[in-house]
Coordinates of all heavy atoms in Angstrom, one line a residue:
L719 N 35.1 -26.9 -7.8 CA 35.3 -26.6 -9.2 C 34.0 -26.6 -10.0 O 33.7 -25.7 -10.8 CB 36.3 -27.5 -9.9 CG 37.8 -27.3 -9.5 CD1 38.6 -28.4 -10.2 CD2 38.2 -25.9 -10.0
I720 N 33.1 -27.6 -9.7 CA 31.8 -27.6 -10.3 C 31.0 -26.4 -9.9 O 30.3 -25.8 -10.7 CB 31.1 -28.9 -9.9 CG1 31.8 -30.1 -10.6 CG2 29.6 -28.9 -10.3 CD1 31.3 -31.5 -10.1
A721 N 31.1 -26.1 -8.6 CA 30.3 -24.9 -8.1 C 30.8 -23.6 -8.8 O 30.0 -22.7 -9.1 CB 30.5 -24.8 -6.6
V722 N 32.2 -23.5 -9.0 CA 32.7 -22.3 -9.6 C 32.2 -22.3 -11.1 O 31.9 -21.2 -11.6 CB 34.2 -22.4 -9.6 CG1 34.8 -21.3 -10.5 CG2 34.7 -22.2 -8.2
V723 N 32.1 -23.4 -11.8 CA 31.6 -23.4 -13.1 C 30.2 -23.0 -13.2 O 29.7 -22.2 -14.0 CB 31.8 -24.8 -13.8 CG1 31.1 -24.9 -15.1 CG2 33.3 -25.2 -13.9
V724 N 29.4 -23.5 -12.2 CA 28.0 -23.1 -12.1 C 27.9 -21.6 -11.9 O 27.0 -20.9 -12.6 CB 27.3 -23.9 -11.0 CG1 25.9 -23.3 -10.7 CG2 27.1 -25.3 -11.3
C725 N 28.7 -21.1 -11.1 CA 28.7 -19.6 -10.8 C 29.1 -18.8 -12.1 O 28.5 -17.8 -12.4 CB 29.6 -19.3 -9.7 SG 29.0 -19.9 -8.1
A726 N 30.1 -19.4 -12.8 CA 30.6 -18.7 -14.0 C 29.5 -18.6 -15.1 O 29.3 -17.7 -15.8 CB 31.8 -19.4 -14.5
V727 N 28.7 -19.7 -15.1 CA 27.6 -19.7 -16.1 C 26.4 -19.0 -15.6 O 25.7 -18.2 -16.4 CB 27.2 -21.2 -16.4 CG1 26.0 -21.3 -17.3 CG2 28.3 -22.0 -17.0
G728 N 26.0 -19.1 -14.3 CA 24.8 -18.5 -13.9 C 24.8 -17.1 -13.4 O 23.9 -16.3 -13.7
L729 N 25.9 -16.7 -12.8 CA 25.9 -15.3 -12.3 C 25.8 -14.2 -13.4 O 25.1 -13.2 -13.2 CB 27.2 -15.0 -11.5 CG 27.3 -15.8 -10.1 CD1 28.6 -15.5 -9.4 CD2 26.1 -15.3 -9.2
P730 N 26.4 -14.4 -14.6 CA 26.1 -13.4 -15.6 C 24.7 -13.3 -16.1 O 24.3 -12.3 -16.7 CB 27.1 -13.8 -16.8 CG 28.1 -14.7 -16.1 CD 27.4 -15.4 -15.0
Q731 N 23.9 -14.4 -15.8 CA 22.5 -14.4 -16.2 C 21.6 -13.8 -15.2 O 20.3 -13.8 -15.5 CB 22.1 -15.9 -16.6 CG 22.9 -16.5 -17.6 CD 22.4 -17.9 -17.9 OE1 21.2 -18.1 -18.1 NE2 23.3 -18.9 -18.0
V732 N 22.1 -13.5 -14.1 CA 21.2 -13.0 -13.0 C 20.6 -11.6 -13.4 O 21.2 -10.7 -13.9 CB 22.0 -12.7 -11.7 CG1 21.2 -12.0 -10.7 CG2 22.5 -14.1 -11.1
T733 N 19.3 -11.6 -13.3 CA 18.5 -10.3 -13.5 C 17.7 -10.1 -12.3 O 17.2 -11.1 -11.7 CB 17.6 -10.4 -14.8 OG1 16.7 -11.5 -14.7 CG2 18.4 -10.5 -16.0
W734 N 17.5 -8.9 -11.9 CA 16.8 -8.5 -10.7 C 15.4 -8.1 -10.9 O 15.1 -7.4 -11.9 CB 17.5 -7.4 -9.9 CG 18.9 -7.8 -9.6 CD1 20.1 -7.4 -10.2 CD2 19.3 -8.7 -8.5 NE1 21.2 -8.0 -9.5 CE2 20.7 -8.8 -8.5 CE3 18.6 -9.4 -7.5 CZ2 21.5 -9.5 -7.6 CZ3 19.4 -10.2 -6.6 CH2 20.7 -10.2 -6.7
Q735 N 14.5 -8.7 -10.2 CA 13.0 -8.3 -10.3 C 12.7 -7.2 -9.2 O 12.6 -7.5 -8.0 CB 12.2 -9.6 -10.0 CG 10.7 -9.3 -9.9 CD 10.1 -8.8 -11.1 OE1 10.1 -7.6 -11.4 NE2 9.5 -9.7 -11.9
D736 N 12.6 -6.0 -9.7 CA 12.3 -4.9 -8.8 C 10.8 -4.5 -8.8 O 10.5 -3.5 -8.2 CB 13.1 -3.7 -9.2 CG 14.6 -3.9 -8.9 OD1 15.0 -4.6 -8.0 OD2 15.5 -3.3 -9.7
D737 N 10.0 -5.2 -9.5 CA 8.6 -5.0 -9.5 C 8.0 -5.5 -8.2 O 7.9 -6.7 -8.0 CB 7.9 -5.6 -10.7 CG 6.4 -5.4 -10.7 OD1 5.9 -4.6 -9.8 OD2 5.7 -6.0 -11.5
V738 N 7.7 -4.6 -7.2 CA 7.2 -5.0 -5.9 C 5.9 -5.8 -6.0 O 5.6 -6.6 -5.1 CB 7.1 -3.8 -5.0 CG1 8.4 -3.2 -4.8 CG2 6.1 -2.8 -5.5
F739 N 5.1 -5.6 -7.0 CA 3.8 -6.3 -7.1 C 4.0 -7.7 -7.5 O 3.1 -8.5 -7.3 CB 2.9 -5.6 -8.2 CG 2.6 -4.2 -7.8 CD1 3.2 -3.1 -8.3 CD2 1.6 -3.9 -6.8 CE1 2.9 -1.8 -7.9 CE2 1.3 -2.6 -6.4 CZ 1.9 -1.6 -7.0
A740 N 5.2 -8.1 -7.9 CA 5.5 -9.5 -8.1 C 5.6 -10.3 -6.8 O 5.5 -11.5 -6.8 CB 6.9 -9.7 -8.8
L741 N 5.7 -9.5 -5.6 CA 5.6 -10.2 -4.3 C 4.2 -10.7 -4.0 O 4.1 -11.6 -3.2 CB 6.0 -9.2 -3.2 CG 7.5 -8.7 -3.2 CD1 7.6 -7.5 -2.3 CD2 8.4 -9.8 -2.9
N742 N 3.2 -10.1 -4.7 CA 1.9 -10.5 -4.4 C 1.5 -11.9 -5.0 O 2.2 -12.3 -5.9 CB 0.9 -9.5 -4.9 CG 1.0 -8.2 -4.1 OD1 1.4 -8.2 -3.0 ND2 0.6 -7.1 -4.8
V743 N 0.4 -12.4 -4.5 CA -0.1 -13.6 -5.2 C -0.6 -13.2 -6.6 O -1.1 -12.1 -6.8 CB -1.4 -14.1 -4.4 CG1 -2.0 -15.3 -5.1 CG2 -0.9 -14.5 -3.0
P744 N -0.3 -14.0 -7.6 CA -0.8 -13.7 -9.0 C -2.3 -13.4 -9.0 O -3.1 -14.2 -8.4 CB -0.4 -14.9 -9.8 CG 0.7 -15.6 -9.1 CD 0.5 -15.3 -7.6
L745 N -2.7 -12.3 -9.5 CA -4.1 -11.9 -9.5 C -4.9 -12.7 -10.4 O -4.5 -12.9 -11.6 CB -4.2 -10.4 -9.8 CG -3.4 -9.4 -8.9 CD1 -3.6 -8.0 -9.3 CD2 -3.7 -9.6 -7.4
A746 N -6.1 -13.1 -9.9 CA -7.0 -13.8 -10.8 C -7.4 -13.0 -12.0 O -7.8 -11.9 -11.8 CB -8.2 -14.3 -10.0
P747 N -7.3 -13.5 -13.2 CA -7.6 -12.7 -14.4 C -9.0 -12.2 -14.4 O -9.3 -11.1 -14.8 CB -7.4 -13.7 -15.6 CG -6.4 -14.7 -15.0 CD -6.7 -14.8 -13.6
E748 N -10.0 -13.1 -13.8 CA -11.4 -12.6 -13.8 C -11.6 -11.5 -12.9 O -12.4 -10.6 -13.1 CB -12.3 -13.8 -13.4 CG -12.0 -14.4 -12.0 CD -11.0 -15.6 -12.1 OE1 -10.2 -15.6 -13.1 OE2 -10.9 -16.4 -11.1
W749 N -10.8 -11.4 -11.8 CA -10.8 -10.2 -10.9 C -10.3 -9.0 -11.6 O -10.9 -7.9 -11.4 CB -10.0 -10.5 -9.6 CG -10.7 -11.4 -8.7 CD1 -11.8 -12.1 -8.9 CD2 -10.3 -11.7 -7.3 NE1 -12.2 -12.8 -7.7 CE2 -11.3 -12.6 -6.8 CE3 -9.3 -11.2 -6.5 CZ2 -11.2 -13.0 -5.5 CZ3 -9.2 -11.7 -5.2 CH2 -10.2 -12.6 -4.7
I750 N -9.2 -9.1 -12.3 CA -8.7 -8.0 -13.1 C -9.7 -7.5 -14.1 O -9.9 -6.2 -14.2 CB -7.4 -8.4 -13.8 CG1 -6.3 -8.8 -12.7 CG2 -6.9 -7.2 -14.6 CD1 -5.0 -9.3 -13.3
D751 N -10.3 -8.4 -14.8 CA -11.4 -7.9 -15.8 C -12.5 -7.3 -15.1 O -13.1 -6.3 -15.6 CB -11.8 -9.2 -16.6 CG -10.8 -9.7 -17.5 OD1 -9.8 -9.0 -17.8 OD2 -10.8 -10.9 -17.9
E752 N -12.9 -7.9 -13.9 CA -14.1 -7.3 -13.2 C -13.7 -5.9 -12.7 O -14.5 -5.0 -12.8 CB -14.4 -8.2 -12.0 CG -15.5 -7.7 -11.1 CD -15.7 -8.7 -9.9 OE1 -15.6 -9.9 -10.1 OE2 -16.1 -8.2 -8.9
D753 N -12.5 -5.7 -12.2 CA -12.1 -4.4 -11.7 C -12.1 -3.4 -12.8 O -12.6 -2.3 -12.7 CB -10.7 -4.5 -11.1 CG -10.2 -3.3 -10.4 OD1 -10.5 -3.1 -9.3 OD2 -9.6 -2.4 -11.1
R754 N -11.7 -3.8 -14.0 CA -11.6 -2.9 -15.2 C -13.1 -2.5 -15.6 O -13.3 -1.3 -15.9 CB -10.9 -3.6 -16.3 CG -11.0 -2.8 -17.6 CD -10.3 -3.6 -18.8 NE -10.9 -4.9 -18.9 CZ -12.0 -5.2 -19.4 NH1 -12.8 -4.2 -19.9 NH2 -12.5 -6.4 -19.5
R755 N -14.0 -3.5 -15.6 CA -15.4 -3.2 -16.0 C -16.0 -2.2 -15.0 O -16.7 -1.2 -15.5 CB -16.2 -4.5 -16.0 CG -15.9 -5.4 -17.2 CD -16.9 -6.5 -17.4 NE -17.0 -7.3 -16.2 CZ -16.3 -8.4 -16.0 NH1 -15.5 -8.8 -16.9 NH2 -16.5 -9.2 -14.9
V756 N -15.8 -2.4 -13.7 CA -16.4 -1.5 -12.8 C -15.8 -0.1 -12.9 O -16.6 0.9 -12.8 CB -16.2 -2.0 -11.3 CG1 -16.7 -1.0 -10.3 CG2 -16.9 -3.3 -11.1
R757 N -14.5 0.0 -13.1 CA -13.9 1.3 -13.3 C -14.4 2.0 -14.6 O -14.6 3.3 -14.6 CB -12.4 1.2 -13.3 CG -11.8 0.9 -12.0 CD -10.3 0.8 -12.0 NE -9.8 0.8 -10.6 CZ -9.5 1.8 -9.9 NH1 -9.7 3.0 -10.4 NH2 -9.1 1.7 -8.7
E758 N -14.7 1.3 -15.6 CA -15.2 1.9 -16.8 C -16.6 2.4 -16.6 O -17.0 3.5 -17.1 CB -15.2 0.9 -18.0 CG -13.8 0.6 -18.5 CD -13.8 -0.5 -19.6 OE1 -14.9 -1.1 -19.8 OE2 -12.8 -0.7 -20.2
R759 N -17.4 1.7 -15.8 CA -18.8 2.2 -15.5 C -18.7 3.5 -14.8 O -19.7 4.3 -14.9 CB -19.5 1.1 -14.7 CG -19.9 -0.1 -15.5 CD -20.5 -1.1 -14.6 NE -20.5 -2.4 -15.2 CZ -20.3 -3.6 -14.6 NH1 -20.1 -3.6 -13.3 NH2 -20.3 -4.7 -15.2
T760 N -17.7 3.7 -13.9 CA -17.7 4.9 -13.1 C -16.7 5.9 -13.5 O -16.4 6.9 -12.8 CB -17.4 4.4 -11.6 OG1 -16.2 3.7 -11.6 CG2 -18.5 3.6 -11.1
S761 N -16.1 5.7 -14.7 CA -15.0 6.6 -15.2 C -13.9 6.8 -14.2 O -13.4 7.9 -14.0 CB -15.6 8.0 -15.6 OG -16.4 7.8 -16.7
Q762 N -13.6 5.7 -13.5 CA -12.4 5.8 -12.6 C -11.1 6.0 -13.3 O -11.0 5.4 -14.4 CB -12.4 4.6 -11.6 CG -13.6 4.5 -10.7 CD -13.7 5.7 -9.8 OE1 -12.7 5.9 -9.0 NE2 -14.8 6.4 -9.8

Side-chain angles (χ1 to χ4, degrees):
L719 285 176
I720 292 172
V722 169
V723 171
V724 169
C725 292
V727 174
L729 289 179
Q731 300 183 46
V732 170
T733 57
W734 299 104
Q735 171 64 277
D736 290 329
D737 180 6
V738 297
F739 296 99
L741 293 170
N742 292 333
V743 176
L745 302 180
E748 60 271 19
W749 281 12
I750 297 175
D751 292 340
E752 179 182 326
D753 187 87
R754 175 184 50 77
R755 289 193 299 270
V756 174
R757 288 183 169 274
E758 287 177 351
R759 289 175 196 141
T760 56
S761 290
Q762 294 298 300

